[in-house]
């Protein structure tokens, strides 16, 4: 078939008509979706396209303007890894021109584990929802009563080989803007005592 949506941990993608010659003037797009937290590896078992005229594009971000791979000719490509950015999808687009046709391609795909992000920890006076740190997983942060959040409420584990969180950890401050309520109250007590002592001294004099 010419394109379509494919879901599952593994599968096969064949050019239209394979192993016979593919038709002219094709524009076929396949979308491959694997499990949450997985990447997609494409392995080429057979590959024969008209060099520089017919080609196969592979992308992992939904845009073919700057594809991950642009393949043509009859040299069998090395395996291609895609799906590193947390969407667990990859797309292939096959385009043939109006003239010469060849056998096309036989490609298998399989999912593989992506390296997770490290545990970012929990800021003081806060807690978070979410317990998974895989690519695309997110954590939502909340402050204890009497505190407010400064920074990103949600952070996401990014892919692309970086394995980093999308933003620094937020922090919780009291609603007056200080990092701890104890210090603020202690200072207030000290100030109050100083003022009271001055008033007493003035009366005695």
């Amino acid at each position: 078939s010419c394109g379509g949506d494919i879901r599952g941990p593994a599968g096969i993608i064949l050019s239209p008509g394979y192993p016979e010659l593919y038709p002219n003037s094709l524009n076929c797009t396949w979308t491959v979706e694997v499990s949450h937290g997985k990447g997609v590896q494409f392995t080429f078992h057979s590959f024969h396209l008209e060099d520089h005229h017919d080609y196969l594009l592979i992308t992992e971000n939904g845009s073919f303007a700057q594809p991950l791979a642009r393949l043509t000719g009859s040299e069998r490509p090395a395996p291609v890894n895609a799906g590193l950015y947390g969407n667990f999808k990859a797309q292939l687009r096959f385009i043939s021109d109006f003239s010469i046709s060849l056998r096309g391609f036989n490609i298998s795909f399989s999912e593989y584990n992506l390296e997770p992000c490290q545990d970012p920890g929990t800021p003081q006076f806060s807690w978070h929802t979410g317990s998974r740190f895989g690519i695309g997983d997110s954590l939502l942060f909340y402050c204890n009563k009497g505190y407010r959040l400064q920074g990103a409420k949600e952070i996401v584990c990014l892919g692309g080989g970086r394995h980093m969180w999308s933003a620094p950890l937020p922090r919780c401050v009291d609603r007056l803007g200080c990092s701890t309520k104890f210090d603020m109250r202690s200072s207030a007590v000290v100030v109050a005592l100083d003022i009271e002592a001055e008033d007493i001294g003035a009366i005695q004099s």
Side-chain angles (χ1 to χ4, degrees):
S1 63
C2 182
D5 295 333
I6 306 172
R7 294 179 175 85
I12 299 290
I13 298 174
L14 304 175
S15 56
Y18 185 89
E20 303 300 325
L21 304 183
Y22 53 78
N24 295 323
S25 303
L26 290 177
N27 189 333
C28 309
T29 301
W30 293 265
T31 297
V32 177
E33 182 175 357
V34 294
S35 306
H36 180 89
K38 307 288 186 178
V40 190
Q41 182 176 77
F42 296 102
T43 301
F44 300 85
H45 304 285
S46 178
F47 194 85
H48 299 281
L49 305 184
E50 183 187 7
D51 197 14
H52 300 302
H53 294 278
D54 303 338
Y55 48 91
L56 180 70
L57 305 175
I58 301 177
T59 185
E60 57 190 353
N61 61 6
S63 172
F64 289 98
Q66 294 182 319
L68 182 67
R70 179 187 174 102
L71 308 172
T72 189
S74 292
E75 182 176 346
R76 188 159 58 97
V80 173
N81 290 341
L84 300 178
Y85 288 91
N87 57 8
F88 324 122
K89 294 181 181 180
Q91 294 82 30
L92 299 89
R93 178 167 292 171
F94 175 42
I95 296 177
S96 64
D97 68 3
F98 57 87
S99 59
I100 300 171
S101 295
L102 300 178
R103 289 184 60 191
F105 50 79
N106 177 349
I107 305 171
S108 65
F109 72 87
S110 59
E111 64 182 23
Y112 67 95
N113 292 324
L114 297 172
E115 184 179 344
C117 291
Q118 293 184 348
D119 184 348
T122 304
Q124 193 176 19
F125 312 119
S126 76
W127 55 279
H128 67 74
T129 61
S131 58
R132 300 194 306 181
F133 309 138
I135 305 300
D137 289 329
S138 63
L139 303 178
L140 288 172
F141 289 88
Y142 302 89
C143 291
N144 297 341
K145 186 176 180 180
Y147 292 84
R148 60 184 176 84
L149 195 71
Q150 282 189 346
K153 181 180 179 64
E154 180 180 24
I155 62 175
V156 181
C157 179
L158 303 176
R162 292 170 293 174
H163 316 301
M164 294 173 57
W165 293 99
S166 58
L169 275 181
R171 67 190 188 104
C172 290
V173 299
D174 72 14
R175 297 193 179 279
L176 295 178
C178 297
S179 57
T180 67
K181 299 180 75 173
F182 177 79
D183 291 344
M184 184 64 184
R185 288 174 177 175
S186 297
S187 299
V189 170
V190 171
V191 171
L193 289 175
D194 288 344
I195 294 174
E196 189 173 321
E198 291 179 2
D199 292 341
I200 292 174
I203 293 172
Q204 291 178 343
S205 61

